[in-house]
């Protein structure tokens, strides 16, 4: 980035994209860079907040390329803290003993009902379509 040698201000800035040199120049002076994507409505709300009674919610990037970019912590993407690769996995849910048994029984009953339905449907389909 041009000007990185003489740039001495501490700023916190939100941009759509930034080069690595620009990020280093800002962070070297104690500032912070966040790369954030804005759709047309969100950008209009930022430029003209007085025209909005209720501020619109932030939309996610539509393309996979942009989504990968804003999930990247190296470019200070705003989605990086929420990306599964950057977070430890959650501990498994531990249910109380009685509740775990009830949940497993309910799951087994649903599987059994599903098998009965599939058998009935399969029988009707087999009867309707002769085997060749």
């Amino acid at each position: 980035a041009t000007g990185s040698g003489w740039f001495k201000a501490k700023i916190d800035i939100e941009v759509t994209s930034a080069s690595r040199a620009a990020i280093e120049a800002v962070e070297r002076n104690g500032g912070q860079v966040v790369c954030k994507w804005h759709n047309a409505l969100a950008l209009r709300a930022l430029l003209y907040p007085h025209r909005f009674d209720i501020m619109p919610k932030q939309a996610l990037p539509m393309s996979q390329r942009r989504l990968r970019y804003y999930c990247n912590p190296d470019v200070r993407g705003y989605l990086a803290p929420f990306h599964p690769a950057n977070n430890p996995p959650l501990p498994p849910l531990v249910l109380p003993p009685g509740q775990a048994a009830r949940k497993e029984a309910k799951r087994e009953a649903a599987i059994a009902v599903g098998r009965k339905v599939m058998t009935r449907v399969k029988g009707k389909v087999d009867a309707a379509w002769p085997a060749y």
Side-chain angles (χ1 to χ4, degrees):
T2 59
S4 63
W6 55 266
F7 182 73
K8 303 292 182 208
K10 177 192 178 292
I11 60 171
D12 295 334
I13 189 168
E14 187 176 286
V15 295
T16 54
S17 65
S19 66
R20 295 192 195 282
I23 292 171
E24 289 172 5
V26 170
E27 290 179 347
R28 182 176 54 237
N29 296 321
Q32 182 181 7
V33 175
V34 176
C35 293
K36 190 171 183 180
W37 182 78
H38 297 286
N39 62 356
L41 180 63
L43 189 58
R44 194 169 27 244
L46 287 174
L47 294 173
Y48 308 107
H50 59 280
R51 294 184 181 176
F52 291 84
D53 293 331
I54 299 172
M55 295 301 278
K57 291 183 178 179
Q58 180 67 40
L60 289 174
M62 294 299 290
S63 71
Q64 289 296 314
R65 183 180 61 86
R66 285 186 180 150
L67 193 58
R68 279 193 305 271
Y69 178 81
Y70 291 114
C71 286
N72 187 354
D74 296 335
V75 295
R76 309 305 185 263
Y78 75 108
L79 296 173
F82 307 109
H83 194 269
N86 304 326
N87 294 313
L90 294 173
L93 179 64
V94 178
L95 299 173
Q99 189 175 1
R102 283 193 301 274
K103 189 171 184 176
E104 183 61 27
K106 196 184 273 188
R107 183 178 150 303
E108 291 295 328
I111 290 171
V113 168
R115 283 189 193 130
K116 286 180 187 174
V117 170
M118 290 304 292
T119 304
R120 288 185 198 145
V121 170
K122 186 176 180 185
K124 287 180 183 177
V125 170
D126 287 346
W129 296 96
Y132 293 104

